[in-house]
């Protein structure tokens, strides 16, 4: 039997220990957020039953109609300031037997799947509940009383249309929400289709969470990545090792996992992702039947892309070459920080320059060079911070 976690430690205490050891820099903005997370921890600890005093006591407790409201926290600010690190510290300490930490995109994919399954049950006569939202919310709450979302953002109209009703149910059940985001609540789903129908969710969110800005003066993620080469050639063991080293530095101890980016009726598979970083091979993106909309979804989802094993592009790879041109155009237009391992320097990747494709690849090569420049790299976090 595993020992129970030590709930006496706080996020502030852990942050102080890490700064004292030299693992982190002293950061007052991070400490302010840590104090707010500790407030939520204290509320969660107080809510936990102190002891199983009697079966009768538990029965009466279960019959209580009023649900104790614990305000969660919505942490927003520029990339690389430590939002995810603080939330992960909190999640590890949270005294909840049922808790869930997920990227928001992953959570919403799960929600849509559950709604579809509930509608199918109603269609098949397995339930009389025509509205799928209440049972889906009840199931979600039964699995997790605490939800921690990384990179909370709303870009899909299908998500936008159900969030208010879904979280009305979840919050009424007593669910506690902690979220990190690059976007303040008032700018969620900004300029989205039928945004007026989404606005009640923003009001609901502000009612059940405290909103705090984390804008440290230092972008710790970029501070580490700036020392790493961003274009490695030729394709050999040294290039693979250098890409792995840059990736590990970017992870900063976090665990990258596969994920999916939902599209209309399908999804884009992401082999490895954490926060706003992802790692693909050339084959993942250019051998697969992906198009401009897919690359746009990737650019909107991630700030930093690692792309392994770009080969030389001969006449037998015309489709892959076209996709690669579109991919680089999209990443460049969105100021994505790109790490590449390739078989040759940009101008030598295309083996035969013929017609329009040759001219287009000249632009691609030029952009790959520019994406290595200090000026371009300096813009990459600024774009997200401005959103």
């Amino acid at each position: 039997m595993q020992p129970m976690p030590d709930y006496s430690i706080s996020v502030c205490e852990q942050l102080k220990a890490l700064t004292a050891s030299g693992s982190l820099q002293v950061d007052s903005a991070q400490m302010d957020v840590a104090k707010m997370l500790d407030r939520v921890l204290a509320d969660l600890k107080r809510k936990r039953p102190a002891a199983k005093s009697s079966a009768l006591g538990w029965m009466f407790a279960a019959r209580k109609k009023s649900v104790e409201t614990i305000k969660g926290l919505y942490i927003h600010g520029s990339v690389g300031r430590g939002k995810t690190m603080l939330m992960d510290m909190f999640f590890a300490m949270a005294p909840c037997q049922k808790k869930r930490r997920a990227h928001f995109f992953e959570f919403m994919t799960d929600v849509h799947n559950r709604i579809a399954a509930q509608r199918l049950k109603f269609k098949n006569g397995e339930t009389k509940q025509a509205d799928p939202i209440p049972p889906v919310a009840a199931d979600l709450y039964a699995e997790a009383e605490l939800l921690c979302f990384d990179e909370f953002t709303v870009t899909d109209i299908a998500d936008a249309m159900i969030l208010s009703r879904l979280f009305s149910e979840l919050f009424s059940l007593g669910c506690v929400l902690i979220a990190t985001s690059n976007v303040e609540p008032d700018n969620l789903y900004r300029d989205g289709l039928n945004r007026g129908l989404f606005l009640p969710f923003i009001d609901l969110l502000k009612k059940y969470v405290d909103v705090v800005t984390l804008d440290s003066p230092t972008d710790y993620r970029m501070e580490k990545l700036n020392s790493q080469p961003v274009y490695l050639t030729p394709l050999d063991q040294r290039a693979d090792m250098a890409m792995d080293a840059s990736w590990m530095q970017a992870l900063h101890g976090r665990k990258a996992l596969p994920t999916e980016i939902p599209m209309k009726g399908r999804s884009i598979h992401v082999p490895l992702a954490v926060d706003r970083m992802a790692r693909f091979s050339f084959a993942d993106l250019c051998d697969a039947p992906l198009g401009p909309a897919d690359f746009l979804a990737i650019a909107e989802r991630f700030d930093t892309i690692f792309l392994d094993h770009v080969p030389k592009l001969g006449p037998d790879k015309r489709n892959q070459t076209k996709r690669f041109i579109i991919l680089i155009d999209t990443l460049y237009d969105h100021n994505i920080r790109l790490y590449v391992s390739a078989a040759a320097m940009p101008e030598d990747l295309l083996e035969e320059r013929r017609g329009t494709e040759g001219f287009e690849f000249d632009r691609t090569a030029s952009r790959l060079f520019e994406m290595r420049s200090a000026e371009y790299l300096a813009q990459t976090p600024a774009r997200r911070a401005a959103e």
Side-chain angles (χ1 to χ4, degrees), residues 110-163:
D110 180 30
V111 167
H112 287 297
N113 290 338
R114 289 173 188 251
I115 289 174
Q118 186 67 26
R119 284 175 172 156
L120 184 60
K121 283 183 179 181
F122 177 72
K123 181 180 178 181
N124 293 338
E126 299 172 26
T127 178
K128 294 182 179 180
Q129 176 61 271
D131 183 356
I133 298 296
V136 166
D139 287 344
L140 289 168
Y141 181 71
E143 296 170 11
E145 300 170 7
L146 169 68
L147 288 175
C148 290
F149 290 146
D150 201 21
E151 297 300 338
F152 194 108
T153 186
V154 183
T155 57
D156 185 85
I157 186 171
D159 293 347
M161 293 303 100
I162 66 170
L163 277 172

Side-chain angles (χ1 to χ4, degrees), residues 45-64:
K45 292 174 188 176
R46 177 174 47 79
K47 186 180 179 181
R48 294 175 70 231
K52 229 176 187 179
S53 56
S54 70
L56 191 62
W58 278 84
M59 183 170 61
F60 281 118
R63 288 182 177 177
K64 283 178 67 178

Side-chain angles (χ1 to χ4, degrees), residues 243-295:
M243 285 287 281
D244 288 343
S246 294
W247 178 249
M248 292 305 294
Q249 277 208 343
L251 290 179
H252 194 53
R254 294 167 295 174
K255 185 177 181 181
L257 295 170
T259 189
E260 303 287 330
I261 300 176
M263 297 290 286
K264 294 179 180 178
R266 59 185 179 85
S267 63
I268 304 167
H269 178 66
V270 184
L272 288 173
V274 61
D275 300 336
R276 296 190 68 86
M277 298 185 302
R279 189 168 186 177
F280 300 89
S281 69
F282 175 88
D284 293 326
L285 296 180
C286 298
D287 285 354
L290 301 180
D294 302 289
F295 298 140

Side-chain angles (χ1 to χ4, degrees), residues 319-337:
N319 288 334
Q320 292 94 326
T321 300
K322 289 177 181 177
R323 292 189 191 106
F324 185 65
I325 289 170
I326 297 169
L327 171 66
I328 298 305
D329 280 347
T330 306
L331 299 184
Y332 175 85
D333 289 342
H334 285 74
N335 291 117
I336 303 301
R337 177 171 287 226

Side-chain angles (χ1 to χ4, degrees), residues 185-244:
D186 286 336
N187 285 333
L188 286 169
Y189 198 53
R190 187 172 181 178
D191 302 322
L193 187 64
N194 293 326
R195 188 173 187 259
L197 300 176
F198 174 77
L199 295 179
F201 172 71
I202 297 176
D203 294 333
L204 180 74
L205 186 65
K206 290 179 179 179
K207 179 180 177 182
Y208 284 94
V209 301
D210 288 326
V211 179
V212 59
T213 305
L214 176 55
D215 261 328
S216 305
T218 304
D219 183 339
Y220 298 104
R221 187 192 66 174
M222 292 303 160
E223 192 176 65
K224 286 181 168 54
L225 290 179
N226 281 337
S227 63
Q228 299 296 315
V230 296
Y231 193 99
L232 296 160
T233 190
L235 293 178
D236 55 18
Q237 187 177 11
R238 287 180 299 177
D240 288 342
M241 291 175 63
M243 285 287 281
D244 288 343

